[in-house]
Amino acid sequence: MLLFALAASREFGAAVAAALGVPLAPLEERSFEDGEHKVRPLVDPEGSDVYVVQSLHGDAGASGDEKLLRLLMFIAALRDHGARR
């Protein structure tokens, strides 16, 4: 099992990881000046059950729509890298 937490929910993800007794899996998350965003796992999720923690609550940093889009992009990247479910 792999547990990821995107930047908007890193603290909550760390609390969930601690409660489950598993480490947070590393990921790369970058925002570019032109508004583009990159997120990718830094461990191979092939064949693993993967869970992602991400709040969709809008705030000054990003709207709920932006957070949902980042979550869906990350899930697609995990599937492309072979995550089982």
Side-chain angles (χ1 to χ4, degrees):
M1 175 180 90
L2 294 173
L3 177 65
F4 292 93
L6 298 178
S9 301
R10 182 77 53 179
E11 283 185 40
F12 181 64
V16 170
L20 293 174
V22 298
L24 276 178
L27 60 94
E28 176 186 13
E29 192 169 2
R30 294 179 48 193
S31 294
F32 297 96
E33 292 178 10
D34 62 357
E36 301 254 347
H37 187 78
K38 173 185 180 180
V39 61
R40 68 182 180 103
L42 295 178
V43 294
D44 186 10
E46 187 170 350
S48 298
D49 290 338
V50 179
Y51 298 88
V52 182
V53 176
Q54 169 72 332
S55 168
L56 300 180
H57 175 70
D59 57 28
S63 70
D65 294 341
E66 291 175 49
K67 290 179 179 181
L68 177 60
L69 181 60
R70 290 176 185 182
L71 173 62
L72 294 174
M73 288 173 47
F74 187 57
I75 291 170
L78 291 167
R79 295 293 291 192
D80 289 346
H81 283 91
R84 185 170 65 166
R85 59 181 180 160

